[in-house]
Amino acid sequence: MFTSILTSATDTLSVTNATACLAVSLILGLAISYTYMSSKTYTKNFAITLALMPVLIQIVIMMVNGNLGTGVAVMGSFSLVRFRSVPGSSKEISFIFFAMAVGIATGMGFLTFAAAVTAAICLIFMILYRTGFGDGDQTERMMKVTIPENLDYSEVFDDLFEKYTKSSSLTKVKTTNLGSMFELHYNVVLKNPAEEKSFIDDIRCRNGNLTIVCSRKHAQNDEL
C-alpha cells in the first residue's frame, strides 16, 4: 500500500516537472523568436520554428534520459536535417543553436539557468543590433554592369569612378549572352550616397542602357 502511494506521488511529481519544463521551454522559445523578429528581416515559418524548437528539443532530451541507444538514434535523425534544408544565414544558424541549447537545458531540468541564458543572450543581441555593431561602411557598394563586347572594359568607366567614388576595383569579368556581352563586377566606395542615382544614370549612358545592379555589400547573405 505504501509503495503504491509512493509510486503515485512520484508519477505526479514527474508529470508536474515535465509540465513545468514544457511551459518554460515554450515561454523561452517565444522570447527567442521575438528577439529574432526584432531584426525586421525574418520569415513567419522560421519565427514559428524558433518558438517551438526548445519544446521539441526538451521533449527529446527527456525521452532519451540516459538511454545510449535512443541517444544514438536521435543524433542520427538530427544529422539528416542539415542535408534536407536550404542553406541559412549565420544569424539563422546562430538562433537555431540558441534554441537547441535552451531546449537541452530545460530538458535536463535546469530551468533557472535556461531562463538566465535566454535573457542574457537576447539582451546582448538587441544591444548589438540596435547600436549598429558590424554595419561597416554605409557608402560601400557592389556593382554589376553589363556592357557590349566592343567596349574596352579596362578603362571605360574610369572617369565616372573618379567623379563619384573614393575608391573602386574590378573584381570579376564574365562573358554572357553567348559571349556578345561582358558582365563586370566592381567594389566601390561612394563619395556621396545621395549621388548614387546620378552615378547609375551616367553608367547607363555609357553601357547602352544595359543591365546595372547596385547593392550594399552587407545585403548579401553569408550562408553557412
Side-chain angles (χ1 to χ4, degrees), residues 29-64:
L30 291 171
I32 293 171
S33 182
Y34 177 79
T35 303
Y36 171 78
M37 290 189 294
S38 68
S39 64
K40 307 302 182 184
T41 54
Y42 63 90
T43 62
K44 180 179 179 179
N45 288 339
F46 192 75
I48 294 174
T49 299
L50 283 179
L52 296 179
M53 184 171 289
V55 178
L56 300 176
I57 297 296
Q58 178 246 322
I59 293 173
V60 170
I61 295 300
M62 293 185 70
M63 292 299 100
V64 172

Side-chain angles (χ1 to χ4, degrees), residues 185-204:
H185 294 249
Y186 294 95
N187 282 338
V188 302
V189 179
L190 300 176
K191 291 180 179 178
N192 182 4
E195 295 182 339
E196 183 174 337
K197 183 181 183 304
S198 299
F199 181 34
I200 293 175
D201 287 340
D202 285 350
I203 293 178
R204 287 170 55 203

Side-chain angles (χ1 to χ4, degrees), residues 38-214:
S38 68
S39 64
K40 307 302 182 184
T41 54
Y42 63 90
T43 62
K44 180 179 179 179
N45 288 339
F46 192 75
I48 294 174
T49 299
L50 283 179
L52 296 179
M53 184 171 289
V55 178
L56 300 176
I57 297 296
Q58 178 246 322
I59 293 173
V60 170
I61 295 300
M62 293 185 70
M63 292 299 100
V64 172
N65 195 24
N67 189 314
L68 180 60
T70 306
V72 173
V74 170
M75 181 178 66
S77 299
F78 276 122
S79 67
L80 297 176
V81 175
R82 179 64 182 89
F83 299 101
R84 297 188 62 83
S85 60
V86 296
S89 68
S90 57
K91 183 183 73 171
E92 291 169 344
I93 298 298
S94 297
F95 271 90
I96 288 174
F97 278 112
F98 182 16
M100 290 178 64
V102 170
I104 292 172
T106 55
M108 297 179 66
F110 301 114
L111 303 184
T112 303
F113 174 75
V117 167
T118 301
I121 295 181
C122 288
L123 179 62
I124 292 171
F125 175 83
M126 296 285 284
I127 292 174
L128 293 178
Y129 180 78
R130 295 188 183 280
T131 55
F133 179 81
D135 277 350
D137 190 349
Q138 297 298 309
T139 62
E140 191 171 2
R141 299 287 189 273
M142 299 191 70
M143 297 193 68
K144 183 170 67 175
V145 182
T146 302
I147 64 171
E149 62 177 345
N150 62 338
L151 286 182
D152 181 7
Y153 61 79
S154 60
E155 299 178 350
V156 64
F157 301 121
D158 284 359
D159 57 326
L160 299 180
F161 288 144
E162 183 176 354
K163 177 180 178 181
Y164 291 103
T165 70
K166 297 177 183 177
S167 63
S168 62
S169 61
L170 178 63
T171 59
K172 184 168 69 173
V173 178
K174 175 184 175 183
T175 59
T176 185
N177 197 24
L178 299 178
S180 62
M181 297 181 183
F182 288 110
E183 191 176 89
L184 312 179
H185 294 249
Y186 294 95
N187 282 338
V188 302
V189 179
L190 300 176
K191 291 180 179 178
N192 182 4
E195 295 182 339
E196 183 174 337
K197 183 181 183 304
S198 299
F199 181 34
I200 293 175
D201 287 340
D202 285 350
I203 293 178
R204 287 170 55 203
C205 294
R206 195 73 56 88
N207 79 332
N209 206 28
L210 294 175
T211 302
I212 300 173
V213 178
C214 183

